[in-house]
Amino acid sequence: MMGAVSLIGGGPGPADLLTVRAARRLAQADVVCFDRLGPTEELRELSPHAELIDVGKLPGYHRVPQEAINALLIDHARAGRQVARLKGGDPFVFGRGGEEVNALTAAGISVEIIPGISSAISVPQSVGIPVTHRGISHTFTVMSGHVPASEDQLRHLAGLDTTLVVLMGMGTLGHTIAGLLRHGLSPDTPAAIIERGFRASQRTTRAPLRDLVLEAHRRGCASPAVIVVGEVVHAMPQWVAAMDPQLPVPEPDLDCQMTQHATHASARGIV
């Protein structure tokens, strides 16, 4: 009997940010093929009877090529197993979910797609940065920094009145920022880097766009990280307090002279 595959968005990390349907499919799975981001620490509890297979990619190193992941999913489903393919965030936001759906459907495998909360929205939100807000920004644009943007792309992005969110962008940060500045985006535009979203070591670095690369280097910012460029970054102090009355309104971060504000919320893992 043929099995099936559930393509699951694991959200930004914590298991309690999974959808109910995602948690149900993980509990029912015979096999879970999982990436390095998402609720991996709780995976044994979420899938107590499943075989767990780590197919996660590291920056610049894909130890299990995409073609091999596709073949693995197909082989397990053809063996009659219920397969959960667990990805961080949402499977269709730079997650290669479409490639896996194409391979599975071409092989005659039934696929269920379960959306997840994208880190593009949730990680900035976790530190009080909304990607849109009336009177500040009515659009947001999400881009992948995995491959350097072209000059035409950078010119287009610099001309948009939008919040720019960059995923997988630390390796190309200098290229992206230089291009935005070169094509006319104001050097004073507020920007932020949120590292290791929703983990105990989460950290936020903020600076004007002109100083972001220098500040990231000084603080040793590294992947995984979400980069936000836009006026919404300035709204952070008041909204952190509004999100949780137990948290103090942030004071200036003396360790980061270019950063205008920083949150100090150790109970939420925000530094």
Side-chain angles (χ1 to χ4, degrees), residues 93-95 143-147 166-172 223 225-227:
V93 180
F94 307 130
M143 67 173 283
S144 167
H146 180 65
V147 176
V166 187
L167 305 182
M168 302 177 291
M170 290 307 299
T172 56
S223 297
V226 176
I227 302 158

Side-chain angles (χ1 to χ4, degrees), residues 30-76:
D30 300 309
V31 179
V32 179
C33 298
F34 64 95
D35 289 344
R36 71 186 183 99
L37 302 177
T40 56
E41 294 180 2
E42 299 96 337
L43 196 49
R44 178 45 68 196
E45 297 175 18
L46 293 165
S47 301
H49 308 296
E51 176 185 358
L52 305 181
I53 304 174
D54 184 353
V55 296
K57 302 175 179 68
L58 297 172
Y61 174 53
H62 295 181
R63 60 183 173 184
V64 183
Q66 187 61 54
E67 293 75 14
I69 295 174
N70 297 345
L72 192 65
L73 299 175
I74 291 168
D75 289 346
H76 280 291

Side-chain angles (χ1 to χ4, degrees), residues 78-184:
R78 282 178 172 167
R81 301 184 180 98
Q82 295 301 310
V83 183
R85 173 66 174 107
L86 180 63
K87 295 174 171 290
D90 182 272
F92 284 176
V93 180
F94 307 130
R96 300 195 178 189
E99 297 176 39
E100 293 176 6
V101 170
N102 286 341
L104 290 162
T105 54
I109 307 297
S110 175
V111 186
E112 177 186 24
I113 302 168
I114 301 177
I117 300 173
S118 173
S119 61
I121 299 171
S122 60
V123 170
Q125 184 182 102
S126 74
V127 295
I129 300 176
V131 292
T132 67
H133 184 73
R134 186 169 61 170
I136 297 177
S137 176
H138 66 279
T139 66
F140 69 97
T141 302
V142 183
M143 67 173 283
S144 167
H146 180 65
V147 176
S150 69
E151 282 300 303
D152 285 343
Q153 290 170 330
L154 292 166
R155 183 181 301 107
H156 175 72
L157 290 168
L160 294 176
D161 181 15
T162 188
T163 300
L164 177 62
V165 181
V166 187
L167 305 182
M168 302 177 291
M170 290 307 299
T172 56
L173 179 66
H175 171 86
T176 301
I177 300 306
L180 294 173
L181 293 171
R182 186 166 57 251
H183 291 294

Side-chain angles (χ1 to χ4, degrees), residues 7-22:
L7 183 62
I8 300 172
D16 57 2
L17 289 180
L18 282 169
T19 64
V20 173
R21 184 177 300 179

